[in-house]
Amino acid sequence: MLVQNTNDSSIVSKLSAANKGYFLDQWLKMFVDKEQKRSPIINRGYYIRFKAIEALFQSWFNEVPVSIYPKSQIISLGAGFDSSYFRLKKLNVFPPGCKYIEIDYRDVLKRKIEYIAKSEFSHLLNICNKQVERNSNILLSSDEYVMLGVDLQNCKELETCFCDLEIDFNIPTLFLSECALTYINLKSSNNLIQWVQAHFLNSAFVLYEQVHDDDGFSLVM
């Protein structure tokens, strides 16, 4: 539960920075019950985090243009309440033929679905296809947006979900771990990275983590 609580704290901090004008992401509000103001150093830290991920997406979209790669996918590991898919979609920068797959603990994504049900994206929840029916870990599956309630330490279950979803292991795939792998043990994180390397031969793996634990931002965190 402690690991899952970091998701709640993070989304509140992201919204605090957005409310102060550090970046634009109006869809964060979907996932926050009670807004809180964070200190300037926290707002700045989340601004850097947002800009880094934003630059990553833009770089990826440039590297895999639809004209050359009509299909691609982004797999967010430990996605939590991240709003990237919704933001990219509403800003009309999410490319056609791209699938966005979020993976996190089942309880976290179940709560996320409850928030989505109250939003302008509620239509996504009306799509319950055969994959969802035969695998309870597939919480949501549409042509573009997928949620998998799987522990990242369970590569076997991940593979089962991907096979049930008929995921193409050969198309360009971006794996994104935004402050996620640091919360699982070293052996499990190594196993996950090795599994990705072995199964997705046309992929990129991006890891965003804190590396200086003695600076001002880290000490406040």
Side-chain angles (χ1 to χ4, degrees), residues 32 69 71 86 91 104 113 115 181 210:
V32 176
Y69 303 100
K71 290 187 177 181
F86 307 99
L91 293 176
D104 210 319
I113 287 174
Y115 283 116
L181 292 193
Q210 292 179 192

Side-chain angles (χ1 to χ4, degrees), residues 10-218:
S10 177
I11 201 69
V12 170
S13 296
K14 285 184 178 181
L15 180 58
S16 171
N19 285 341
K20 284 295 184 179
Y22 283 88
F23 53 82
L24 297 176
D25 190 339
Q26 67 193 71
W27 298 277
L28 289 168
K29 292 180 180 289
M30 286 196 300
F31 307 117
V32 176
D33 291 323
K34 184 178 180 180
E35 299 182 21
Q36 299 179 39
K37 293 181 180 179
R38 299 300 201 209
S39 65
I41 196 169
I42 295 299
N43 288 334
R44 291 168 187 162
Y46 275 89
Y47 164 75
I48 294 171
R49 177 171 167 175
F50 176 89
K51 296 301 289 186
I53 301 302
E54 183 180 52
L56 158 70
F57 283 133
Q58 187 57 59
S59 176
W60 176 254
F61 295 150
N62 290 339
E63 286 292 321
V64 290
V66 176
S67 58
I68 301 176
Y69 303 100
K71 290 187 177 181
S72 62
Q73 53 205 2
I74 298 171
I75 300 178
S76 178
L77 305 172
F81 287 177
D82 182 57
S83 60
S84 292
Y85 167 75
F86 307 99
R87 180 172 56 84
L88 295 171
K89 186 67 178 174
K90 295 300 289 186
L91 293 176
N92 294 318
V93 296
F94 193 76
C98 184
K99 188 184 293 287
Y100 201 100
I101 302 170
E102 295 184 337
I103 304 171
D104 210 319
Y105 290 111
R106 184 182 183 86
D107 290 346
V108 171
L109 294 185
K110 279 285 191 181
R111 289 173 54 210
K112 190 172 189 176
I113 287 174
E114 292 175 0
Y115 283 116
I116 294 173
K118 304 172 186 177
S119 76
E120 62 181 297
F121 295 96
S122 59
H123 65 279
L124 289 172
L125 306 184
N126 297 326
I127 303 171
C128 185
N129 56 25
K130 59 184 179 181
Q131 292 101 335
V132 176
E133 293 172 358
R134 71 168 177 251
N135 188 330
S136 61
N137 290 319
I138 303 174
L139 304 180
L140 188 153
S141 177
S142 69
D143 290 339
E144 282 189 349
Y145 186 52
V146 175
M147 281 187 181
L148 302 180
V150 179
D151 188 333
L152 293 176
Q153 299 176 92
N154 193 339
C155 293
K156 183 177 180 180
E157 192 57 57
L158 275 179
E159 186 166 352
T160 298
C161 287
F162 285 155
C163 290
D164 286 345
L165 286 166
E166 299 178 351
I167 292 296
D168 190 339
F169 289 84
N170 298 309
I171 63 175
T173 304
L174 173 65
F175 282 87
L176 171 62
S177 173
E178 185 183 346
C179 299
L181 292 193
T182 190
Y183 292 106
I184 64 178
N185 63 66
L186 181 60
K187 181 180 179 180
S188 295
S189 60
N190 283 341
N191 287 341
L192 176 60
I193 294 171
Q194 290 167 5
W195 179 84
V196 168
Q197 183 182 32
H199 288 76
F200 292 85
L201 301 182
N202 188 14
S203 65
F205 197 110
V206 175
L207 183 72
Y208 185 94
E209 298 285 1
Q210 292 179 192
V211 293
H212 295 293
D213 60 0
D214 57 351
D215 63 13
F217 177 80
S218 297

